[in-house]
């Protein structure tokens, strides 16, 4: 790897860079795209196509201080019941717009905390989704699970609904760090939740952990990673903690003076990364690890890894439909985003229309740049032949673009007639290299959605 001085000179520690789960990134969506565009793009999904569905539940019983997700605290099932009715109505609207024969290659319930729904609600929601489209023959249904918010009846209901993957929020096992980030969760609670899920026959398990938390040291993150490894997750997302208190106000409760410096963050990441590698995990893109026979690892080997709003995916579907407040959909024509506020979202659905607040229609240039960025984020390389054949790019223009990027990174990239490759020692800079191909202005817009490049 390049040493810290070299990485610092290339700007790694002072840059705020998007995570590129879309291109253009969400701050560049505009209100020129509305519910009519969304309805039209849904109606254009071909008969018999496979699509992905993302369903958002923006409620939590606890509001962890570190969390940057838009979510509302609730102590009772009341607000959830009313949100359930909105989801059922939105799903019925979707069914009315969708061509016959569509099946689901992926279904993901995220949040917030979807497991706040009780067993009866889980069954109702699963039934409403089945009315829209049945699962494809090989499907994946994953659910984000807060270990504090799961019990046997809910795990059984999810399994009956077809869940075959679970994603568990861990963050860190260290009790001082947990106190500092307002998330109390013992090792035993996490272990028991995982055992309960596996007992249902759900064998594929992801865990989220964070680096860059207050009081975190290489020793402490190593201890947390060892504990996590004892639970043998199939996949791990190792996210850099994004400290954005101007957007997630409860983050101001964190002791900001105990946050690691950017250079320390790099060391924390490297410590955790080395431990996953030693344990035989394959590195997936910039921040995931997976066992060799996991779907993401296989997709990466076959060059089929993709990037979407949930991070890395092996989903082959062209269309991802987001249901629920703030959810984003992706169509071949562009992106649409539902109204972020639950009240606005519910209001629109009650009027019998989608709540689309913003979006973006792709230009040919968006598609080309979006593919370059996705390929760099997934494979650390981009093939000129693919861009010429699939995106109408001109080989000489590409060569010029890649050469300019190489010059901006002091000749540290590999440019050849085959395309562009980010060598191993430059990989901490991947998001910055991707940003080089982003033609939208990031100087002011979306400050809240950017995090440090490491
Ligand atoms: C939307 S949360 C849902 C997880 C579930 N509610 C739970 O608490 O276990 C999904 C993941 O987002 C990540 N996340 C939340 N806030 C973050 C932040 N400020 N920086 C980086 N990752 C964050 C966490 O790792 C979390 O597990
Ligand atoms: S981490 Fe999970 S439980 Fe905590 S506030 Fe965020 S979404 Fe809610």
């Amino acid at each position: 790897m390049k040493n810290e001085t070299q990485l610092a000179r290339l700007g790694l520690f002072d840059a705020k860079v998007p995570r590129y789960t879309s291109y253009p990134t969400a701050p560049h969506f505009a209100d020129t795209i509305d519910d009519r565009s969304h309805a039209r793009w849904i109606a254009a999904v071909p008969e018999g196509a496979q699509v992905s569905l993302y369903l958002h539940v923006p409620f939590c019983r606890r509001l962890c201080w570190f969390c940057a997700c838009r979510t509302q605290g609730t102590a009772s099932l009341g607000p959830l019941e009313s949100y359930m009715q909105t989801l059922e109505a939105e799903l019925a609207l979707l069914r009315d717009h969708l061509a016959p024969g569509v099946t689901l290659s992926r279904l993901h319930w995220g949040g917030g905390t979807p497991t706040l729904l009780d067993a009866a609600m889980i069954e109702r929601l699963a039934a409403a989704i089945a009315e829209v489209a049945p699962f494809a023959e090989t499907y994946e249904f994953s659910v984000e699970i807060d270990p504090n918010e799961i019990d046997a009846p809910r795990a059984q209901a999810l399994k009956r609904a077809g869940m075959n993957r679970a994603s568990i929020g861990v963050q860190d096992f260290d009790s001082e760090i947990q106190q500092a980030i307002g998330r109390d969760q013992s090792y035993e609670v996490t272990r028991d939740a995982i055992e309960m899920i596996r007992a249902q026959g759900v064998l594929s398990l992801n865990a989220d952990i964070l680096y860059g938390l207050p009081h975190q040291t290489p020793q402490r993150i190593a201890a947390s990673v060892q504990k996590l490894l004892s639970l043998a997750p199939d996949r791990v997302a190792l996210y850099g903690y994004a400290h954005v208190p101007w957007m997630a106000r409860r983050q101001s409760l964190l002791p900001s003076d105990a946050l690691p410096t950017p250079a320390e963050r790099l060391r924390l990441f490297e410590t955790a990364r080395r431990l996953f590698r030693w344990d035989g995990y394959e590195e997936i893109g910039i921040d995931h690890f997976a066992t060799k026979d996991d779907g993401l690892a296989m997709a990466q080997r076959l060059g089929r890894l993709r990037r979407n709003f949930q991070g890395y995916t092996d989903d082959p579907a062209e269309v991802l439909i987001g249901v629920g407040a703030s959810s984003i959909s992706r169509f071949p024509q562009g992106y649409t985003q539902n109204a972020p506020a639950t009240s606005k979202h519910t209001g629109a659905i009650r009027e019998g229309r989608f709540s689309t607040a913003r979006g973006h229609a792709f230009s040919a240039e968006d598609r080309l740049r979006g593919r370059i960025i996705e390929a760099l984020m997934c494979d650390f390389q981009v093939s000129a032949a693919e861009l010429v054949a699939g995106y109408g790019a001109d080989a000489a223009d590409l060569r010029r673009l890649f050469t300019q990027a190489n010059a901006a990174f002091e000749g540290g990239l590999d440019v050849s007639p085959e395309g562009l490759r980010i060598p191993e020692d430059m990989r901490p800079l991947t998001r910055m290299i991707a940003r080089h191909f982003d033609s939208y202005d990031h100087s002011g817009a979306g400050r809240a959605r950017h995090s440090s490049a490491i």
Side-chain angles (χ1 to χ4, degrees):
M1 205 178 79
K2 286 244 180 312
N3 67 39
E4 276 176 22
T5 320
Q6 291 167 308
L7 292 170
R9 201 180 58 242
L10 289 167
L12 179 67
F13 300 147
D14 38 48
K16 297 272 187 254
V17 196
R19 293 180 57 240
Y20 289 114
T21 53
S22 71
Y23 181 78
T25 55
H28 294 284
F29 293 178
D31 60 8
T32 43
I33 300 294
D34 59 13
D35 57 302
R36 284 163 304 180
S37 326
H38 185 71
R40 223 174 29 249
W41 292 349
I42 287 178
V45 173
E47 222 177 291
Q50 286 196 4
V51 305
S52 271
L53 201 73
Y54 171 78
L55 189 135
H56 191 63
V57 181
F59 294 94
C60 297
R61 199 180 307 277
R62 56 174 171 175
L63 289 177
C64 317
W65 302 344
F66 74 94
C67 182
C69 303
R70 191 187 166 99
T71 175
Q72 289 162 241
T74 177
S76 71
L77 284 182
L80 273 171
E81 174 50 40
S82 122
Y83 189 68
M84 273 291 299
Q85 289 169 16
T86 302
L87 289 177
E88 285 172 321
E90 188 179 357
L91 286 163
L93 198 58
L94 175 59
R95 185 193 57 209
D96 293 346
H97 283 79
L98 212 50
V102 169
T103 55
L104 300 182
S105 62
R106 296 287 187 282
L107 171 62
H108 184 84
W109 291 6
T113 306
T115 49
L116 267 193
L117 303 175
D118 65 18
M121 287 172 167
I122 290 170
E123 270 160 28
R124 261 169 68 194
L125 203 50
I129 292 170
E131 289 278 307
V132 176
F135 285 123
E137 207 173 308
T138 51
Y139 75 93
E140 279 178 18
F141 172 19
S142 51
V143 180
E144 285 173 19
I145 294 179
D146 174 352
N148 275 291
E149 217 44 79
I150 187 78
D151 54 21
R154 284 180 279 181
Q156 283 158 3
L158 286 169
K159 175 64 186 167
R160 276 198 302 278
M163 174 175 77
N164 51 17
R165 279 186 186 276
S167 181
I168 294 271
V170 173
Q171 326 311 346
D172 198 299
F173 284 113
D174 185 279
S175 61
E176 191 190 353
I177 294 175
Q178 288 188 0
Q179 259 176 28
I181 64 170
R183 175 153 172 133
D184 182 25
Q185 182 175 316
S186 69
Y187 173 79
E188 289 72 25
V189 163
T190 305
R191 181 200 59 202
D192 293 352
I194 289 178
E195 281 175 4
M196 185 188 303
I197 293 160
R198 285 190 168 140
Q200 294 304 320
V202 177
L203 298 179
S204 179
L205 206 119
N206 172 81
D208 293 341
I209 61 165
L210 296 178
Y211 69 91
L213 293 172
H215 304 300
Q216 221 171 23
T217 60
Q219 291 76 6
R220 283 181 168 183
I221 202 168
S224 281
V225 169
Q226 297 291 9
K227 279 190 176 164
L228 182 59
L229 288 171
S230 74
L231 301 170
D234 304 270
R235 282 182 197 171
V236 177
L238 171 62
Y239 294 129
Y241 167 61
H243 191 59
V244 287
W246 55 88
M247 169 192 157
R249 255 182 266 137
R250 53 182 187 265
Q251 286 187 347
S252 39
L253 296 166
L254 262 76
S256 53
D257 52 347
L259 285 170
T261 63
E264 285 164 351
R265 281 170 70 98
L266 180 62
R267 260 167 266 148
L268 290 167
F269 178 80
E270 281 303 322
T271 304
R273 169 180 181 255
R274 225 169 295 133
L275 290 171
F276 288 122
R277 300 282 302 168
W278 276 340
D279 222 63
Y281 283 76
E282 294 199 356
E283 215 168 336
I284 310 294
I286 62 162
D287 55 10
H288 276 58
F289 299 86
T291 55
K292 285 198 168 42
D293 48 2
D294 178 88
L296 282 189
M298 291 195 282
Q300 177 160 271
R301 285 196 292 274
L302 295 169
R304 293 197 188 136
L305 193 63
R306 307 293 308 268
R307 190 133 174 97
N308 71 9
F309 294 102
Q310 285 117 57
Y312 289 106
T313 178
D314 54 354
D315 182 9
E318 277 293 308
V319 172
L320 166 68
I321 301 174
V323 171
S326 81
S327 290
I328 300 179
S329 304
R330 187 193 197 284
F331 299 94
Q333 299 88 339
Y335 297 115
T336 56
Q337 179 171 27
N338 288 347
T342 312
S343 53
K344 282 230 168 86
H345 177 69
T346 299
I349 300 295
R350 282 206 187 126
E351 287 169 15
R353 58 183 182 85
F354 292 110
S355 81
T356 317
R358 305 178 317 141
H360 181 87
F362 295 135
S363 65
E365 187 181 341
D366 288 334
R367 287 199 177 89
L368 172 66
R369 288 182 181 270
R371 179 58 197 147
I372 294 175
I373 289 174
E374 181 184 45
L376 292 175
M377 296 288 293
C378 292
D379 308 322
F380 303 108
Q381 61 184 350
V382 53
S383 145
E386 182 201 343
L387 298 175
V388 170
Y391 297 81
D394 177 80
D397 288 348
L398 280 179
R399 184 69 188 229
R400 225 176 356 260
L401 203 60
F402 294 160
T403 307
Q404 278 165 7
N406 195 25
F409 289 92
E410 298 182 352
L413 309 178
D414 291 342
V415 180
S416 70
E418 278 71 50
L420 176 73
R421 201 180 74 85
I422 306 177
E424 184 103 24
D425 65 347
M426 292 289 279
R427 292 193 180 166
L429 294 158
T430 299
R431 282 162 60 193
M432 297 188 62
I433 298 164
R435 190 181 60 170
H436 190 86
F437 294 96
D438 181 343
S439 68
Y440 291 84
D441 176 17
H442 287 283
S443 53
R447 178 175 170 238
R449 285 168 207 262
H450 295 53
S451 61
S452 146
I454 183 69

